[in-house]
Amino acid sequence: MSDFETIIVGGGLAGLTTAYILAKEGVETLLIERGNFAGAKNVSGGRIYSHSLEKVIPGFAGEAPLERRITREKISLLTADSAVTADYFSPGPGAPGRDSYSVLRVGFDQWLAGKAEEAGAQIVTGIKVDDLLLRDGNVRGVAAGDEMTADVTVLADGVNALLAKKLGLRAKLSPAQVAVGVKEVIELPAAVIEDRFQCGGEEGTAWLFAGQPSGGKVGGAFLYTNKESLSLGVVCTLEGLAAGVTTLPQMLEDFKGHPAVAPLLAGGKTVEYSAHLVPEGGVDMVPRLFTGGALVVGDAAGFCLNLGYTVRGMDLAVGSGDCAARAILQARRAGDYGAGTLGASYQNALNDSFIMKDMKLYRKFPHFMEKTPRIFSGYPEMASDLMARLFVVDGEPSRPLYKKVASSLKGVGALNLMLDGMKGVRSL
Ligand SMILES: Cc1cc2nc3c(=O)[nH]c(=O)nc-3n(C[C@H](O)[C@H](O)[C@H](O)COP(=O)(O)OP(=O)(O)OC[C@H]3O[C@@H](n4cnc5c(N)ncnc54)[C@H](O)[C@@H]3O)c2cc1C
């Protein structure tokens, strides 16, 4: 007889989703979070695609502490002193499950923790799980000061995945597979945000940047509008940081001081600063996801997709928590928590879901980024040079457009541009 049917390690979106679904189905569930409350240690740029949570809690947007619905998308290529920006505005799609929102994790995670508790889950905070209990090769619970046994243990402990490593499920990651992100939340009045970012009362902007922010290395910057604050930060792979000349905090300062960014932040007050790892290796860094009595979900499983124009980890965390909960319910009905029943159900649910389908579809993208440094230094300069040739009128006789374009392409080379374009499109 176990102390609990399920113990979940980690109160991020993956663990909380699993806890909510299981508790609702009457499964005796304990979630252990090392932070003082759910969300205390969780960092996100701050935009959640709603589809997976909408499936778990239909109509959640009506009650969750969301910031703004994203209606404007911007992508900028930055050099040291210029910005070339694509700007897409659309009030749609807007239907539940097709929209996305900026969120602040502290409030959002606590809201989901409240939902899980209301459903009957026990959540204990301020306690770190140090180890797993093993019996006959199967996981039988956790050691967190005291020993607590469970039929199933869900490893939702985030990107470091120390427990999955202890089980030998996860291999050591290479510096190209992990990025570090630093983020600030900067307070500004709602009216100022709406003016500067041209958005209506409930609407918001998601803005991604490449080039200068990561010092030309694999990485970039993000800026999301909240109701009365901005979430902004810089991300760079460990490999890029090791090869670069600047530290990550300095990259953030340089980004905030960029002439195209600084005016957006003017008068703002930094109220939060955080740093966190991001799994960026794609499907190749996904470990074995189960063993007898245990499943791995969310960032601990490497479920994160950064495609340059979208950054997704939260919807995958929720989706994998959903798959894990359904697999546990199936194993419970069968009365078999061994790898054969529990693990196979989880793997099948993941394979049938958007998670493994998307992770597999974009398998080549992390390698493309790694092998194409021109995206981060080369193309931003080329785009800026071309814009200057198009828009600067200085009284010199003008040149035909094709000559202007050809001159701008000289830096990277037309052939490189064509080949990179083809490889990029194929990797997406
Ligand atoms: C800078 C940055 C920007 C990002 N931007 C976005 C974005 O805009 N959109 C998006 O969708 N995703 C984004 N992500 C990714 C997203 O934040 C993650 O994919 C997501 O939070 C993963 O959720 P999780 O529940 O798996 O892990 P986490 O949210 O990391 O939760 C893990 C939890 O486990 C707890 N824990 C760890 N070890 C133990 C232990 N031993 N005992 C008890 N508790 C433990 C931690 O305290 C934590 O609460 C971003 C990430 C970063 C770092």
Side-chain angles (χ1 to χ4, degrees), residues 8-16 31-35 37-49 101 103 105 109 124 127-131 144 155-163 179-183 208 222 224 233-235 274-279 297-301 303-305 310-318 320:
I8 298 164
V9 185
L13 295 184
L16 291 169
L31 183 147
I32 305 173
E33 164 57 44
R34 71 182 165 160
F37 52 87
K41 294 199 176 266
N42 304 347
V43 177
S44 274
R47 180 222 198 126
I48 185 166
Y49 292 90
Y101 298 86
V103 287
R105 289 291 296 274
D109 287 24
V124 292
I127 293 180
K128 180 170 166 281
V129 170
D130 299 314
D131 214 341
L155 310 182
D157 52 340
V159 57
N160 285 322
L162 295 181
L163 299 173
V180 199
V182 279
K183 178 192 154 192
L208 299 175
F222 57 85
Y224 299 102
V234 173
V235 177
S274 48
H276 207 275
L277 293 177
V278 195
V297 295
D299 270 11
F303 292 147
C304 204
L305 279 169
T310 55
V311 179
R312 294 170 55 194
M314 288 191 265
D315 60 322
L316 282 81
V318 170
S320 59

Side-chain angles (χ1 to χ4, degrees), residues 125-143:
T125 56
I127 293 180
K128 180 170 166 281
V129 170
D130 299 314
D131 214 341
L132 296 167
L133 307 180
L134 294 176
R135 197 174 299 156
D136 303 328
N138 291 328
V139 176
R140 286 291 290 141
V142 301

Side-chain angles (χ1 to χ4, degrees), residues 47-61 66 69 93-103 108 312 314-316 318-319 354:
R47 180 222 198 126
I48 185 166
Y49 292 90
S50 68
H51 64 103
S52 48
L53 193 52
E54 178 64 28
K55 199 167 144 244
V56 175
I57 308 177
F60 83 95
L66 300 169
R69 189 167 70 82
R98 284 175 56 83
D99 44 15
S100 66
Y101 298 86
S102 52
V103 287
F108 192 69
R312 294 170 55 194
M314 288 191 265
D315 60 322
L316 282 81
V318 170
F354 71 95

Side-chain angles (χ1 to χ4, degrees), residues 23 34 58 91 93 127 136-137 154 171 273 287 307 322 356 374 390 407 419:
R34 71 182 165 160
I127 293 180
D136 303 328
V154 178
Y273 186 94
L307 302 181
D322 183 9
M356 288 313 282
R374 281 185 288 269
L390 293 181
S407 304
L419 291 175

